[in-house]
Amino acid sequence: MMNIKEYPFEEVLRMFDPAIKKQLVTLRLYKDHDEFYQIGCIALWNAYQQFDPDKGHFPSYAISFIRGRMMSHLSKETKFKERHSFATEEIIEFEPSTQGQIPLEKEMIEAYLWNLTDKEKRWVHKAIFLEMKSAELQTVFDLSRNSIYLLRKKTLKKLRDNALILNH
């Protein structure tokens, strides 16, 4: 039985290079080939560092270690892609209107304003349609910064609630 620690890691890497590449083929990792090869090399290094010769043979330990790391990384990538899906085939392009307001935008939003007070409706007009900043709204409404924040919070909550009612 050979003691793997007698060999420098560079020699071990050269000996196990075909095993790393075989795992790439076995796991059908054709995409991101270089990344998974690097993961395999790092896994081999970790196996080389952690190996205990009293517990078995290094080749089987190293190969299972390499395969495990590759599969773990593949699993993490898959979970990430599932949770963070991006539109790839249908790219939606937004081109701002040169005319200012989007046609029928005001009419569409008015359906959601049915239970807002006059002050809240004025806030929607000034903040959303005219895109006024908080400081400008303070001047227009003659309110403090905190009062504008509370008006915004209350108005947006009502709009969300109305959207839920109208969309069900």
Side-chain angles (χ1 to χ4, degrees):
M1 180 166 24
M2 77 173 193
N3 183 1
I4 199 67
K5 298 289 184 172
E6 293 174 4
Y7 298 92
F9 179 71
E10 292 77 18
E11 181 67 21
V12 174
L13 180 58
R14 189 188 59 72
M15 289 189 295
F16 281 86
D17 185 65
I20 293 171
K21 290 178 180 173
K22 182 167 181 2
Q23 289 304 312
L24 293 171
V25 172
T26 303
L27 295 172
R28 296 186 179 123
L29 299 171
Y30 304 109
K31 198 174 182 186
D32 302 324
H33 181 271
D34 292 338
E35 180 181 359
F36 280 97
Y37 179 78
Q38 184 69 25
I39 289 167
C41 292
I42 294 169
L44 180 63
W45 168 255
N46 293 139
Y48 176 78
Q49 293 293 315
Q50 297 175 14
F51 180 65
D52 182 3
D54 297 332
K55 294 188 178 183
H57 299 287
F58 182 74
S60 57
Y61 177 74
I63 291 170
S64 66
F65 210 89
I66 292 165
R67 182 179 178 86
R69 287 281 174 87
M70 288 180 177
M71 289 175 62
S72 176
H73 187 75
L74 188 61
S75 174
K76 286 178 187 175
E77 269 193 349
T78 304
K79 282 181 187 176
F80 180 83
K81 286 178 183 174
E82 286 173 356
R83 292 180 181 160
H84 301 88
S85 61
F86 301 103
T88 53
E89 293 177 16
E90 295 180 19
I91 298 175
I92 301 169
E93 291 186 26
F94 174 75
E95 293 185 24
S97 172
T98 55
Q99 316 240 328
Q101 189 172 324
I102 299 170
L104 300 177
E105 181 180 55
K106 194 170 186 176
E107 290 79 6
M108 289 170 40
I109 290 181
E110 282 179 358
Y112 297 92
L113 305 178
W114 61 273
N115 67 340
L116 271 61
T117 64
D118 288 337
K119 188 179 205 177
E120 291 165 341
K121 288 177 184 176
R122 271 185 53 221
W123 180 88
V124 168
H125 175 74
K126 305 277 186 199
I128 296 176
F129 291 115
L130 300 180
E131 298 177 359
M132 293 177 80
K133 305 280 184 226
S134 182
E136 296 171 312
L137 293 170
Q138 289 175 31
T139 306
V140 169
F141 284 94
D142 193 30
L143 293 172
S144 69
R145 182 176 170 189
N146 191 47
S147 296
I148 289 294
Y149 170 77
L150 292 174
L151 176 62
R152 174 185 178 272
K153 184 177 176 181
K154 183 179 175 186
T155 304
L156 291 176
K157 181 177 180 348
K158 281 186 176 180
L159 288 171
R160 282 187 205 101
D161 292 344
N162 291 350
L164 288 173
I165 292 168
L166 291 172
N167 294 325
H168 274 87

